Amino acid sequence: MIGQAVNRVDGPSKVTGRATYSYENWEAGQPLYGVIVGATIGKGRITRIDAGSAERAPGVRMVMSHHNAPEQGPRDESVPMEYWRAQPALTGPDVHHYGEPVALVVAETFEQARAAAELVDVDYAVGQGRFLLAGHEGEAYAPKTVNAGLATDTAVGDFDAGFSSAPVKIDQYYTTPYELSMPMEPHACLAEPRGEDLIVHVSCQIVDAARASIAATLQTDPERIHIVTPFVGGGFGSKLGIHAETILAALAARASGRPVKVALTRQQVFQLVGVRPTSNQRVRLGAGRDGRLSALAHDVTMHTNPDMEYAEQTAATTRSLYAAPHRLTSHRLTPLDLPRGSDVRAPGEAPGMLAVESAMDELAEALGMDPVELRIRNEPTVDPERDVPYSDRHLVDCLREGARRFGWERRPVPPASMRDGRWLVGYGMSAAIRGHFQGPTAVRVRLTADGTAVVQSDMTDIGTGTYTILTQVAADGLGLPRERVRVELGRSEHPSSWGSGGSWGATNSSTATYRACAALREKLLAAACGDTRSPLYGLDPANAVFAVGGVRIGGMSEALSEIVARHAPEGMEAEGRTRFMGDDPHYSAYSIHTYGAHFAEVGVDADTAEIRLRRMLGVFSVGRVLNAKTARSQLMGGMIWGAGAALEEEAVVDPRTGAFVNRDFAQYLVPVHADIPDVEVVVLDGYDDKANPLGAKGVGELGICGSGAAVANAVFNATGIRVRDFPITLEKVLPGLPSMSLP
């Protein structure tokens, strides 16, 4: 059953509206509503808040500001991971970035709270803010580590000597803009006080992190915080941690003694949940005339908030992608008075591969070599920086299969040489790689007396299909039909996990479920084979086969429900776990990644420079696939996101205030149906026994890695214009379009 293209088991609940998201919960009774008032400056101090008019407005129950907000726990930098730290709000008069909460208005209805929020009068002493990366790069510094605890800089061999002696060199800068996750469901919370306890319905990706963070902020016992999040309407990294709406709802609920709902508006999401940092990337490639790299360097400067450091691992993927004896990678941070950088889908890999894979295309052009062949010639035999073997690397297979399926041999050479009416047509491609991660996760599987298996974990389903794949794994593990498996997720009372994020969620929770089922099988066999009342008494459990709701040894069988009913009428259960990758020897002995190859065809209008994506193909190697349908959806979604990063997405900063000026979907463009043609996804058969017992690896973010570069390279192939400042928009292409008349 594992690997089958099973429809989502939660699909009927979602399409009929029975799947309840955080803001939609009404079990707590009639709530109060909170609306956040945000700062209208980007740097400075609050000198006066007059909440009198707001407090006298109809229905208003409180206005909370730094003058009357309860005392909160401080951010503790000794807590290893950001998402488990306290996240205090309204703690003082200082303003650190535009939109930062300065007040919360709580009223009987949302409309009353929203109207009263307009009445809060705030005066500021405006400070001198730093809002643009250009002009402040001289202030860049090296962080101790980058995201995920990876090394800030690496060096192998002698890059300067290798680069200077290379016959062919590429030395280019590439810039990427601020980007945001923008899930369909805005960030929202319902906090319900019950005595000393607080029930928190919150849209989050990691339940354990949300619980720890809220408890640390409220300075209370984590056992008093109960997180409920059975369904999450997308996250893409923006809900790995909790944000101001959650803390403010919790504070207001405790202060009022009533349930309080707070949701961010779409405009507030742009300012309050973190962004992908803007980056300036220098890529240097030195190669022989045969295309073999002798030197490779990837240096990145990006923004960070001065109070909450975030270093995206933008150059880290470059360390394992191609062979070259002389290598450098580095990360530098420039403090700006903007929202903190944060994990946005495929953090590091997405902007990093956009630059490196564009540079590889430039190298292929300089060499007069096919871009696919160039990558194959630089395929390493071991990880070039860690000097350990790869666990299961099939990048070359992806490249060759993708080229065959796409019809790469028809690629126009030279650039700007293929026409289709008024359209200039071009092909582009890119390699894809992403690290595979493992974190501590626990799953409990209980078999009830009626033969139903209940799978429980605080793991979340952010729309990726967790309910479905855990159903498949448990059904396989216990020999049950899918209909006899019930998966319960997203509650802090269940065994804890690392949640959904980093493409680790599916494999962590599935591996833990697999191990829980194995432990439960052992319990069932021990009970049956040692019981004189069982037809399996005295038989060798090593020969047992679990299928169709029972267990068979030789010619004898017994229903699982009968074994449980005799020995554990309340249910028989077992737990399975995964451990942190740093404690797993496979992750130190092997370089464990997923791989892919992207191919894209674009048309560029010869007169207007309008760019149209005509087709995309991705071929991927991800180990064993847990569900062919959900895996394809994840990979396709990533490919589309990559196309958007190449052509559309860009959050623009107002240099006067630090505000994102295009903070809505009318101006912050993301791909829509009309932008995306047929997208083909191919997944190669595989099994990586070093990753986990299931042989599976994460797929969620691999699809975005490199897909934008394939589109960018196709634009160059169509026009001969190389855009290195992303996204590629009309005004960057139009001035360089070749002069040619329509046929």
Side-chain angles (χ1 to χ4, degrees), residues 8 27 176 310 352-353 375 407 425 507 563 582 652 690:
R8 294 172 186 261
E27 294 178 2
T176 62
Y310 176 80
M353 295 202 72
R375 287 162 173 83
V425 179
T507 54
I563 301 173
V652 179
K690 306 302 186 298

Side-chain angles (χ1 to χ4, degrees), residues 405-462:
R405 287 175 176 263
F406 193 75
W408 183 250
E409 71 278 2
R410 298 191 296 272
R411 170 179 173 262
V413 180
S417 61
M418 181 184 288
R419 295 289 297 265
D420 180 10
R422 66 182 303 112
W423 297 94
L424 298 165
V425 179
Y427 289 12
M429 60 80 52
S430 166
I433 183 175
R434 190 181 186 279
H436 174 71
F437 300 96
Q438 178 176 289
T441 294
V443 172
R444 179 170 55 238
V445 178
R446 186 177 73 252
L447 193 62
T448 65
D450 67 355
T452 298
V454 182
V455 181
Q456 295 178 323
S457 175
D458 73 359
M459 171 67 180
T460 51
D461 190 325
I462 59 176

Side-chain angles (χ1 to χ4, degrees), residues 703-717:
I704 190 176
C705 296
S707 59
V711 175
N713 295 337
V715 172
F716 170 77
N717 184 245

Side-chain angles (χ1 to χ4, degrees), residues 276 313-314 317 321-322 344-355 357 395 429-437 502-503 593-599 616-620 634-643 645 698-711:
R276 190 194 299 282
Q313 67 277 32
T314 308
T317 295
L321 184 51
Y322 297 119
V344 175
R345 195 176 195 185
E349 296 93 352
M353 295 202 72
L354 193 54
E357 287 299 287
L395 176 56
M429 60 80 52
S430 166
I433 183 175
R434 190 181 186 279
H436 174 71
F437 300 96
S503 296
H593 294 80
T594 52
Y595 305 94
H598 296 281
F599 295 82
M616 293 183 77
L617 165 69
V619 179
F620 303 99
Q634 285 291 291
L635 290 164
M636 182 185 297
M639 292 169 67
I640 294 169
W641 196 325
V699 305
E701 290 159 292
L702 178 62
I704 190 176
C705 296
S707 59
V711 175

Side-chain angles (χ1 to χ4, degrees), residues 371-617:
V372 173
E373 178 60 27
L374 174 64
R375 287 162 173 83
I376 292 174
R377 288 196 184 186
N378 288 287
E379 174 70 4
T381 56
V382 297
D383 188 296
E385 298 204 11
R386 294 179 56 203
D387 196 30
V388 297
Y390 292 100
S391 63
D392 182 59
R393 180 173 169 119
H394 295 285
L395 176 56
V396 171
D397 295 333
C398 293
L399 291 166
R400 287 179 170 151
E401 180 65 12
R404 183 188 69 80
R405 287 175 176 263
F406 193 75
W408 183 250
E409 71 278 2
R410 298 191 296 272
R411 170 179 173 262
V413 180
S417 61
M418 181 184 288
R419 295 289 297 265
D420 180 10
R422 66 182 303 112
W423 297 94
L424 298 165
V425 179
Y427 289 12
M429 60 80 52
S430 166
I433 183 175
R434 190 181 186 279
H436 174 71
F437 300 96
Q438 178 176 289
T441 294
V443 172
R444 179 170 55 238
V445 178
R446 186 177 73 252
L447 193 62
T448 65
D450 67 355
T452 298
V454 182
V455 181
Q456 295 178 323
S457 175
D458 73 359
M459 171 67 180
T460 51
D461 190 325
I462 59 176
T464 50
T466 310
Y467 283 102
T468 307
I469 60 172
L470 295 191
T471 297
Q472 292 175 262
V473 173
D476 257 6
L478 295 174
L480 295 172
R482 294 196 306 271
E483 297 74 21
R484 302 302 296 171
V485 177
R486 184 171 76 250
V487 177
E488 298 176 353
L489 302 176
R491 300 189 72 96
S492 54
E493 283 67 36
H494 296 333
S496 67
S497 72
W498 254 22
S500 299
S503 296
W504 61 60
T507 54
N508 283 346
S509 56
S510 294
T511 299
T513 301
Y514 170 86
R515 288 173 171 156
C517 290
L520 188 52
R521 290 197 306 269
E522 290 185 7
K523 285 187 175 183
L524 289 162
L525 288 170
C529 296
D531 183 358
T532 57
R533 296 168 294 177
S534 171
L536 306 180
Y537 174 69
L539 299 180
D540 184 359
N543 299 319
V545 175
F546 285 76
V548 293
V551 56
R552 184 178 71 256
I553 303 177
M556 307 303 292
S557 64
E558 185 171 20
L560 301 184
S561 58
E562 295 175 3
I563 301 173
V564 174
R566 272 202 316 275
H567 294 273
E570 300 302 314
M572 186 179 293
E573 64 183 40
E575 281 199 5
R577 296 180 177 272
T578 61
R579 54 183 169 174
F580 174 61
M581 57 191 288
D583 301 323
D584 188 327
H586 280 163
Y587 286 82
S588 58
Y590 296 91
S591 183
I592 306 178
H593 294 80
T594 52
Y595 305 94
H598 296 281
F599 295 82
E601 178 185 333
V602 303
V604 181
D605 190 289
D607 294 318
T608 68
E610 176 187 353
I611 301 169
R612 284 293 176 186
L613 186 62
R614 295 161 74 105
R615 60 189 178 112
M616 293 183 77
L617 165 69

